[in-house]
């Protein structure tokens, strides 16, 4: 496949594999949110993170990339009150908002959380395993020509990131667990989701009222 064809497929697709690099990043996103909450400009946030090595990464280049990714993710929320909540609320509240931010930024995560996790909760089906991830990616590859070009190693890495994200948010207890836990949607996030007109996302947080 030519580079031109690949570029055209990529441009036409709502999906990308950026989460192989830009993972859940709770510590990094929270650190970034705290700097914004302190009143730093976007440029000042990046400079502070780099100059003070707040992420403890080995190279300045990697720090800059992830700092910018964190700013994009917080921007995807479109709600300063949620950015403030990430900075100031207890970690369980902040993590759930970070998950919503990840959903808002990456269509891959949005679709997974709604069509796989949300559907499980809707059907009161607490089973969860590799088969669910495999069928999700198989479906995407059949539907989207760009996703169909992704290598097996890329898809494997994406699955690993999604599983870790679920563990961090206590949807499952560890990476080899096969049971989905009930989750409770934090009121501050529920209000924002409804105000954003994103009610379709409520199922991902086991909310059907």
């Amino acid at each position: 496949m030519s580079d031109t064809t690949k570029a055209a497929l990529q441009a036409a697709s709502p999906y990308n594999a950026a989460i192989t690099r830009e993972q859940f990043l709770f510590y990094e996103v929270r650190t970034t949110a705290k700097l914004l909450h302190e009143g730093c400009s976007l440029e000042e946030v990046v400079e502070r993170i780099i100059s003070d090595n707040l992420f403890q990464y080995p190279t300045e280049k990697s720090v800059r990339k992830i700092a910018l990714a964190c700013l994009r993710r917080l921007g995807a929320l479109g709600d300063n009150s949620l950015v403030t909540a990430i900075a100031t609320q207890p970690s369980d509240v902040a993590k759930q908002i970070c998950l919503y931010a990840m959903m808002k930024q990456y269509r891959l995560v949005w679709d997974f959380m709604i069509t796989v996790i949300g559907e499980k909760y809707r059907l009161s089906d607490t089973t969860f395993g590799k088969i669910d991830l495999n069928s999700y990616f198989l479906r995407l590859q059949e539907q989207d020509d760009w996703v169909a070009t992704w290598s097996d190693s890329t898809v494997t890495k994406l699955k690993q990131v999604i599983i870790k994200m679920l563990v961090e948010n206590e949807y499952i207890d560890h990476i080899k667990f096969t049971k989905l836990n009930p989750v409770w949607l934090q009121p501050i996030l529920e209000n924002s989701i409804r105000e954003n007109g994103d009610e379709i996302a409520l199922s991902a947080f086991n909310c059907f009222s």
Side-chain angles (χ1 to χ4, degrees), residues 28-34 36 45 67-80 82-84 86-87 97-98 101-102 105:
E28 292 86 344
V29 173
R30 190 161 161 106
T31 300
T32 306
K34 284 178 177 175
L36 289 171
V45 167
L68 291 170
C70 290
L71 284 171
R72 283 194 299 274
R73 196 171 301 178
L74 291 168
L77 285 168
D79 184 338
N80 285 333
L82 289 184
V83 176
T84 298
I86 290 173
I97 299 168
C98 284
M102 202 168 178
Q105 191 182 5

Side-chain angles (χ1 to χ4, degrees), residues 152-191:
D152 288 347
S153 61
T154 294
V155 173
T156 298
K157 178 71 173 172
L158 289 167
K159 290 175 185 174
Q160 289 168 349
V161 172
I162 288 171
I163 287 282
K164 279 192 199 164
M165 176 190 81
L166 292 174
V167 172
E168 283 216 55
N169 285 276
E170 299 184 3
Y171 281 80
I172 52 177
D173 290 336
H174 54 75
I175 59 170
K176 293 189 175 171
F177 216 65
T178 55
K179 185 173 180 293
L180 205 56
N181 296 323
V183 296
W184 181 68
L185 180 58
Q186 301 290 342
I188 186 173
L189 180 54
E190 181 180 348
N191 292 340

Side-chain angles (χ1 to χ4, degrees), residues 60-74:
E60 184 177 310
K61 187 180 174 187
S62 62
V63 175
R64 182 179 292 277
K65 272 187 178 173
I66 296 301
L68 291 170
C70 290
L71 284 171
R72 283 194 299 274
R73 196 171 301 178
L74 291 168

Side-chain angles (χ1 to χ4, degrees), residues 52-64:
D52 297 349
N53 193 16
L54 295 179
F55 293 170
Q56 298 290 298
Y57 284 10
T59 68
E60 184 177 310
K61 187 180 174 187
S62 62
V63 175
R64 182 179 292 277

Side-chain angles (χ1 to χ4, degrees), residues 13 20 34 36 42 56 70-71 91-92 100 108 116 124 132 157 198 208-209:
S13 173
T20 56
K34 284 178 177 175
L36 289 171
L42 301 185
Q56 298 290 298
C70 290
L71 284 171
S91 63
D92 59 332
Y100 176 58
L108 187 82
V116 179
S124 301
D132 297 299
K157 178 71 173 172
D198 278 345
F208 298 98
S209 57

Side-chain angles (χ1 to χ4, degrees), residues 28-147:
E28 292 86 344
V29 173
R30 190 161 161 106
T31 300
T32 306
K34 284 178 177 175
L35 292 173
L36 289 171
H37 181 58
E38 287 170 14
C40 294
S41 69
L42 301 185
E43 294 77 16
E44 286 167 344
V45 167
V46 176
E47 290 312 312
R48 278 276 301 278
I49 289 168
I50 292 170
S51 62
D52 297 349
N53 193 16
L54 295 179
F55 293 170
Q56 298 290 298
Y57 284 10
T59 68
E60 184 177 310
K61 187 180 174 187
S62 62
V63 175
R64 182 179 292 277
K65 272 187 178 173
I66 296 301
L68 291 170
C70 290
L71 284 171
R72 283 194 299 274
R73 196 171 301 178
L74 291 168
L77 285 168
D79 184 338
N80 285 333
S81 69
L82 289 184
V83 176
T84 298
I86 290 173
T88 60
Q89 291 285 321
S91 63
D92 59 332
V93 180
K95 277 186 180 179
Q96 196 175 71
I97 299 168
C98 284
L99 174 58
Y100 176 58
M102 202 168 178
M103 288 171 64
K104 292 285 282 182
Q105 191 182 5
Y106 309 105
R107 177 69 179 272
L108 187 82
V109 178
W110 176 269
D111 285 0
F112 174 79
M113 289 303 299
I114 293 167
T115 66
V116 179
I117 301 300
E119 199 54 25
K120 291 270 181 188
Y121 285 133
R122 191 186 306 281
L123 300 172
S124 301
D125 176 3
T126 59
T127 63
F128 179 78
K130 280 184 181 174
I131 190 168
D132 297 299
L133 275 166
N134 292 344
S135 58
Y136 173 65
F137 278 97
L138 200 60
R139 193 165 71 244
L140 278 192
Q141 286 169 324
E142 287 169 353
Q143 290 171 356
D144 190 286
D145 293 336
W146 170 240
V147 178

